[in-house]
Amino acid sequence: MRLSSAALFIVAIACSSGAQAAPQSFYGKTLRVAWNEARSQRVQGDAAFKSVSIPLSFTVYVSTKGQLFKRLTSTTASGRVSGSKDRVGENSAGADGAGSVSFQGNTLISTANNHGLGRRIRITFDGGSSCSAEVLTGKSGGGVTNVRSNATGKMLELESVSAGAASCSVQDGNAFAN
């Protein structure tokens, strides 16, 4: 049986290894990554797919004790509605998929699988005030993937998805405290 490159991507996300505890340089820091996803999508039940650009951000705070707090935020293509999904800890699972965060030296790797939509966020932190990030997104199989919108709560059907260039920023302290 042959697997498509997207399916292999999803498998790779599910099998990431080499995890370490958060390096001390991450403690007390908030890292934010922002990017756009180009999608061909429709609300489940609608007739036509639309090409849209969806802004997303991923925020992770590593507490002074090394605990992880994560938030994935998405905004509708119109920019009028946004919503987020919060997770605590290195590994998490829920009705809308599963994810994990691991550290490899000065690099944080977040992976998530949401019913066939996979996302890998790689953040390299210099230990001071700057970071760089890369986001990879893919879906399994050649058909349609169904996911729930963070922003609207509606079920979406995705025909295709790809992540654009990512920006990254570092902040001292807990961005979730306010």
Side-chain angles (χ1 to χ4, degrees):
M1 172 165 102
R2 281 183 43 103
L3 291 175
S4 70
S5 59
L8 289 173
F9 172 74
I10 300 296
V11 170
I13 283 176
C15 299
S16 66
S17 62
Q20 303 171 357
Q24 192 74 33
S25 62
F26 280 83
Y27 284 28
K29 304 279 187 197
T30 296
L31 298 114
R32 291 183 190 189
V33 177
W35 71 99
N36 285 341
E37 282 184 358
R39 297 178 177 179
S40 176
Q41 71 177 37
R42 66 182 174 197
V43 173
Q44 195 172 47
D46 284 358
F49 283 92
K50 295 188 283 187
S51 294
V52 296
S53 179
I54 304 294
L56 289 109
S57 66
F58 176 72
T59 304
V60 61
Y61 169 64
V62 182
S63 78
T64 55
K65 296 180 180 179
Q67 298 163 311
L68 297 174
F69 300 88
K70 306 164 288 205
R71 175 174 290 156
L72 179 68
T73 303
S74 62
T75 303
T76 58
S78 67
R80 289 184 276 223
V81 180
S82 66
S84 60
K85 185 185 315 179
D86 293 343
R87 305 284 180 149
V88 177
E90 291 179 7
N91 297 304
S92 57
D96 289 327
S100 68
V101 171
S102 62
F103 293 89
Q104 297 175 359
N106 67 337
T107 300
L108 177 152
I109 299 172
S110 171
T111 58
N113 183 358
N114 183 356
H115 304 286
L117 173 65
R119 187 176 291 121
R120 179 179 183 264
I121 303 169
R122 183 174 188 223
I123 305 170
T124 302
F125 178 48
D126 72 356
S129 61
S130 67
C131 59
S132 61
E134 175 188 47
V135 179
L136 299 173
T137 304
K139 64 178 213 56
S140 61
V144 172
T145 297
N146 296 307
V147 298
R148 184 169 308 282
S149 168
N150 283 345
T152 65
K154 294 179 181 178
M155 287 303 294
L156 302 175
E157 296 177 331
L158 303 179
E159 196 173 41
S160 65
V161 60
S162 64
S167 63
C168 187
S169 63
V170 178
Q171 169 188 334
D172 287 330
N174 182 355
F176 303 124
N178 296 330

